[in-house]
Amino acid sequence: MGKLYVRVDDRLIHGQTIVAWCPTLGIQEIIAVDDVSAANPMLKSILTMGVPKNYKTGIVTTQEARELLAEGSDKTRLLIVKFPQKLEELRQEILGCEKLILGNLAKRPDTVHKVSGATGIFYLSDKDVEILDGLAESGVEVVFHQLPTSAKTTWKDFKAKMSIVWV
């Protein structure tokens, strides 16, 4: 059975994914989960245009992701979602993942927490925190790790660095 890594990154597939994360984790298959992008051939094309052919790549709906993950695979996979709320929809399918890696998450209307780091700012809503807490309590290793070469922060330490966003 192959390994599954999960990443939260609102950019889905981009240069860092291909150049840094895939080689470091030994990824063979990339599964980007976004219902809007999966329904739009142009967005799918844009997201996959820079991906080398040696990576099996899919831009899929939530339901398609459930089916792919339920099938299992002997490949090492990287599942990427834009927002933590998608993790709740895929909770059962990702519980056995090797690691859940928090990467990039821009400010949204419902975000009230932020963590500033060396390479950017990561925003979370109360619901996001609740979801990530629940996954961590279920035994999923949750870390903030923007690049494989940068420092990795545990979920517990990451939460301790969060500040409230004032309107």
Side-chain angles (χ1 to χ4, degrees), residues 3 35 45 48 51 53 68 81 95 100 103 106 117 122 125 130 136 144 148 156 158 164-165:
K3 295 179 181 179
D35 295 327
S45 177
T48 58
V51 180
K53 300 293 180 214
L68 281 169
V81 300
L95 281 178
L100 193 159
F122 193 88
S125 68
E130 179 184 318
F144 176 74
K156 180 181 175 185
F158 186 75
I164 301 295
V165 177

Side-chain angles (χ1 to χ4, degrees), residues 102-132:
L102 305 175
N104 191 68
L105 198 52
K107 186 162 178 31
R108 296 166 282 142
D110 65 340
T111 55
V112 294
H113 306 281
K114 77 173 182 176
V115 176
S116 298
T119 58
I121 298 175
F122 193 88
Y123 289 91
L124 294 167
S125 68
D126 285 334
K127 182 67 176 170
D128 295 335
V129 172
E130 179 184 318
I131 291 165
L132 294 168

Side-chain angles (χ1 to χ4, degrees), residues 4-97:
L4 175 66
Y5 293 92
V6 179
R7 184 162 174 87
V8 176
D9 191 323
D10 60 9
R11 301 164 293 177
L12 290 175
I13 301 173
H14 54 90
Q16 289 176 355
T17 307
I18 303 307
V19 174
W21 284 108
C22 288
T24 299
L25 298 175
I27 299 302
Q28 298 165 298
E29 181 177 3
I30 302 166
I31 304 168
V33 185
D34 182 50
D35 295 327
V36 172
S37 297
N40 184 321
M42 182 169 287
L43 285 176
K44 286 173 83 167
S45 177
I46 290 167
L47 285 168
T48 58
M49 72 175 38
V51 180
K53 300 293 180 214
N54 58 310
Y55 297 114
K56 181 178 178 183
T57 306
I59 312 300
V60 301
T61 65
T62 307
Q63 184 56 39
E64 290 169 330
R66 279 191 192 103
E67 292 166 7
L68 281 169
L69 294 171
E71 287 173 10
S73 175
D74 59 352
K75 295 184 181 329
T76 300
R77 296 168 151 179
L78 177 61
L79 180 86
I80 309 170
V81 300
K82 283 186 170 188
F83 309 110
Q85 290 179 347
K86 189 59 68 181
L87 299 173
E88 182 146 78
E89 295 176 51
L90 297 167
R91 181 181 174 82
Q92 291 307 309
E93 291 81 7
I94 65 169
L95 281 178
C97 73

Side-chain angles (χ1 to χ4, degrees), residues 145-160:
H145 203 183
Q146 286 193 308
L147 289 168
T149 55
S150 65
K152 174 174 57 173
T153 306
T154 66
W155 175 239
K156 180 181 175 185
D157 290 342
F158 186 75
K159 278 181 52 178

